[in-house]
Amino acid sequence: MKIVVIQGPNLNMLGVREQNIYGPMKLEQIHAQMKEVASQNGVEIEFFQSNLEGELVDKIQECYGDAQGIIINAAAYTHTSIAIRDALAAVNLPAIEVHISNINRREEFRKENMIAPVCTSSVVGFGPFGYHLAMMGMLQIMNEIQAAQEAQTVQQQA
Ligand code: DQA
């Protein structure tokens, strides 16, 4: 089982940018924690960050046939990108979107969300801990997929 974590624009600036909103933790630290949880659970994990919309679309497309789940913080593109939404819909993988801040309690334009309707679930407003919650959710989904596959194999053998 493989999970791909996709990070959008300016998330490479975590730990520097608007610490009052996003906190002091760096992206590398968040990823190190997620990697730890993945290895404890025997799951492969890959990380990708880009400031470019097209690169994010390419990465989502690459997940097709390669990964079983996506954790994505599309950052500002969440509010604007039909292309990222369409890519998520196209690959049709379990996807959990994360927002460090509570986008529903901020500026009006952040309430517009192109991504949420094509995601399995959203985690917002927990700070960097939201990535850990998303990992827990995704591991649960992976377990359910695996259990369903095993049940199917048993049924085919009967
Ligand atoms: C964000 C929220 C977005 O509105 C913003 O543009 C970001 C980060 C978050 O994680 O809280 O860059 O996705």
Side-chain angles (χ1 to χ4, degrees):
M1 290 278 175
K2 179 174 173 182
I3 299 169
V4 177
V5 181
I6 299 176
Q7 306 279 15
N10 300 307
L11 292 171
N12 55 320
M13 295 289 285
L14 284 180
V16 174
R17 76 184 284 217
E18 300 177 279
Q19 282 199 33
N20 55 322
I21 297 172
Y22 301 112
M25 215 167 163
K26 290 184 182 301
L27 196 61
E28 297 74 40
Q29 294 172 297
I30 293 171
H31 288 173
Q33 287 187 352
M34 295 175 89
K35 203 172 166 180
E36 182 83 30
V37 173
S39 75
Q40 280 164 2
N41 287 275
V43 168
E44 196 183 333
I45 195 159
E46 183 188 332
F47 301 98
F48 179 81
Q49 190 277 328
S50 177
N51 295 323
L52 306 179
E53 186 177 17
E55 286 189 358
L56 294 165
V57 169
D58 283 345
K59 191 66 204 174
I60 294 165
Q61 289 185 9
E62 276 172 29
C63 291
Y64 183 72
D66 179 51
Q68 285 68 47
I70 296 173
I71 294 175
I72 182 165
N73 184 347
Y77 287 135
T78 304
H79 316 296
T80 61
S81 181
I82 297 168
I84 291 175
R85 177 201 177 113
D86 285 352
L88 287 167
V91 299
N92 196 27
L93 289 167
I96 301 179
E97 68 150 354
V98 175
H99 296 287
I100 297 165
S101 64
N102 187 344
I103 51 174
N104 301 309
R105 293 185 60 181
R106 297 180 63 190
E107 300 94 330
E108 277 304 304
F109 64 84
R110 291 186 208 275
K111 290 183 185 157
E112 187 79 58
N113 191 334
M114 299 288 170
I115 312 298
V118 293
C119 286
T120 313
S121 184
S122 303
V123 181
V124 305
F126 284 99
F129 185 63
Y131 287 100
H132 182 73
L133 295 175
M135 272 300 282
M136 294 294 107
M138 191 54 83
L139 288 170
Q140 174 65 23
I141 292 169
M142 302 281 107
N143 284 338
E144 284 168 15
I145 292 173
Q146 212 152 23
Q149 280 170 354
E150 279 162 17
Q152 206 176 17
T153 310
V154 170
Q155 213 170 27
Q156 278 163 359
Q157 283 166 352

